[in-house]
């Protein structure tokens, strides 16, 4: 009887484990993915999803090799996860190419219409929804912020991540903002971290007044190079300022990760991605590194500092 009960318990536990929904998480190993992974799981726990109890995760990272994302996305599809949560646009595009059936919830993706992820924000129309970081629009804001602290600016370099599907939209929006403000824009496409040093060497020759860095690049190294070359640098990523970059302006990440968890909850309860409008950020943060400003010879206006959410001194 004891043996029979043990066998029955094991079979029941196995069946229960099989019925637990599986969330596939696919990340581009850019700076900040650890914070996403921690905050996203915490948001799900607050909703009631406990790893190993009523949900399980399959985590995949490209380990810094963006070309691996399609292969990793296809693996999650073969493993028949119930929903895929990609972090950053390259991961989302890879997931979309891998499946048109498994629901996909984007966390911090760029222009979801321009990259073909959804038909519209109000009516996504397929198996993809989630939240957009509005990076294209933020990119245009960068020009405005740079002109506030460097009024004499006339030329801005744009360091873009060529393999990232969002890079075209990223550069285009900055170019449009440059045209509107009379600022010359010099795009520099980087195909890997090994090209960053050469990119800044070319800037040393062209002498831009500032540089805008795409967040999916190795931003820590970009911040270090900008500082060593004494070029004011801005990025749409919080960690960039802590690593020595001059300024960061971005949508509040924690809000977006909580929203991604809510999307997953709705989908696991039966909602269709096509019926869930894409969420746009409502809160933004502006950070500046005064130590970097001093090192490159910039004086930040007091009126500008009064608007900053966080100052690193």
């Amino acid at each position: 009887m004891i043996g029979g009960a043990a066998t029955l318990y094991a079979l029941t536990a196995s069946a229960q484990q099989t019925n637990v929904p599986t969330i596939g998480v696919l990340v581009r190993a850019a700076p900040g993915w650890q914070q996403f992974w921690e905050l996203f799981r915490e948001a799900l726990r607050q909703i009631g999803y406990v790893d190993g109890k009523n949900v399980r995760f399959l985590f995949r990272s490209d380990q810094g090799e963006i070309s691996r994302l399609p292969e990793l996305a296809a693996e999650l599809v073969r493993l028949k996860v119930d929903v895929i949560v990609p972090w950053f646009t390259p991961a989302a595009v890879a997931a979309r190419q891998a499946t048109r059936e498994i629901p996909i919830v984007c966390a911090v993706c760029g222009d979801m219409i321009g990259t073909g992820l959804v038909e519209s924000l109000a009516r996504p129309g397929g198996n993809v929804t989630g939240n957009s970081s509005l990076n294209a629009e933020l990119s245009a804001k960068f020009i405005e912020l740079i002109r506030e602290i460097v009024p004499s600016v006339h030329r801005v370099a744009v360091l873009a991540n060529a393999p990232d599907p969002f890079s075209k939209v990223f550069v285009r929006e900055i170019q449009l903002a440059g045209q509107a403000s009379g600022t010359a824009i010099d795009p520099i496409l980087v195909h890997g971290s090994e090209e960053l040093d050469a990119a800044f060497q070319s800037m040393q020759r062209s002498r831009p007044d500032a540089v805008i860095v795409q967040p999916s690049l190795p931003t820590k190294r970009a911040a270090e190079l900008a500082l060593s070359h004494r070029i004011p640098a801005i990025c749409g990523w919080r960690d960039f300022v802590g690593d020595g970059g001059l300024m960061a302006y971005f949508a509040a990440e924690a809000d977006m990760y909580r929203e991604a968890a809510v999307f997953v909850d709705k989908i696991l309860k039966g909602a269709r991605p096509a019926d869930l409008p894409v969420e746009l950020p409502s809160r933004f943060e502006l950070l500046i590194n005064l130590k970097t400003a001093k090192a490159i010879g910039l004086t930040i206006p007091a009126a500008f500092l009064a608007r900053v959410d966080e100052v690193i001194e």
Side-chain angles (χ1 to χ4, degrees):
M1 289 177 63
I2 293 173
T7 301
L8 178 61
Y9 175 80
L11 290 173
T12 302
S14 177
Q16 289 175 341
Q17 183 67 22
T18 301
N19 292 330
V20 168
T22 302
I23 301 172
V25 177
L26 182 63
V27 305
R28 168 78 177 116
W33 73 262
Q34 297 97 330
Q35 184 177 15
F36 153 70
W37 184 219
E38 177 183 346
L39 294 179
F40 173 67
R41 286 182 297 168
E42 176 58 30
L44 281 173
R45 280 194 292 269
Q46 291 176 358
I47 295 174
Y49 291 95
V50 180
D51 187 14
K53 183 177 180 182
N54 59 354
V55 72
R56 70 187 185 107
F57 295 99
L58 288 180
F59 179 87
R60 297 293 184 272
S61 166
D62 70 359
Q63 300 293 324
E65 297 180 24
I66 197 171
S67 61
R68 294 189 60 218
L69 287 171
E71 163 200 340
L72 296 170
E75 181 184 356
L76 291 175
V77 172
R78 287 195 301 271
L79 293 170
K80 298 181 179 180
V81 298
D82 295 283
V83 60
I84 298 175
V85 179
W87 183 77
F88 262 32
T89 308
V93 171
R96 170 73 169 181
Q97 292 172 345
T99 179
R100 297 300 173 100
E101 297 176 356
I102 297 174
I104 297 170
V105 173
C106 292
V108 191
C109 292
D111 181 1
M112 292 174 65
I113 297 175
T115 53
L117 290 169
V118 299
E119 294 176 10
S120 74
L121 299 181
R123 297 180 178 276
N127 65 321
V128 181
T129 187
N131 54 59
S132 172
S133 61
L134 276 178
N135 272 340
E137 292 82 352
L138 288 182
S139 301
K141 180 71 173 177
F142 293 160
I143 298 294
E144 177 186 329
L145 293 170
I146 288 170
R147 293 184 68 86
E148 284 191 59
I149 60 175
V150 188
S152 61
V153 64
H154 69 279
R155 181 176 299 278
V156 174
V158 179
L159 201 58
N161 189 7
D164 186 339
F166 180 61
S167 62
K168 291 181 180 179
V169 180
F170 181 78
V171 171
R172 185 185 68 225
E173 292 295 322
I174 295 174
Q175 288 175 324
L176 290 173
Q179 290 174 9
S181 63
T183 307
I185 304 298
D186 292 337
I188 302 175
L189 296 179
V190 176
H191 294 81
S193 58
E194 67 281 358
E195 296 182 10
L196 279 175
D197 287 66
F200 275 91
Q201 288 292 341
S202 70
M203 287 184 225
Q204 192 69 22
R205 293 188 294 270
S206 61
R207 300 306 305 170
D209 300 299
V211 59
I212 299 172
V213 179
Q214 188 171 354
S216 61
L217 286 168
T219 55
K220 185 177 189 299
R221 182 58 181 157
E224 293 169 347
L225 287 166
L227 180 58
S228 67
H229 287 276
R230 297 173 59 84
I231 302 174
I234 184 172
C235 181
W237 203 246
R238 168 182 288 276
D239 292 350
F240 184 73
V241 172
D243 290 332
L246 175 65
M247 185 165 45
Y249 184 71
F250 52 91
E253 299 167 61
D255 295 352
M256 290 188 288
Y257 302 153
R258 282 192 293 268
E259 289 167 1
V262 171
F263 274 109
V264 169
D265 176 50
K266 290 178 179 179
I267 287 171
L268 292 180
K269 290 176 178 175
R272 299 190 315 147
D275 300 328
L276 298 175
V278 173
E279 292 282 347
L280 299 179
S282 58
R283 191 166 63 92
F284 301 86
E285 298 180 15
L286 174 61
L287 278 65
I288 195 160
N289 189 323
L290 286 186
K291 182 178 179 180
T292 295
K294 182 178 180 180
I296 63 178
L298 273 182
T299 300
I300 309 300
F304 186 90
L305 285 176
R307 294 162 38 211
V308 172
D309 295 286
E310 185 177 332
V311 176
I312 295 178
E313 298 187 77

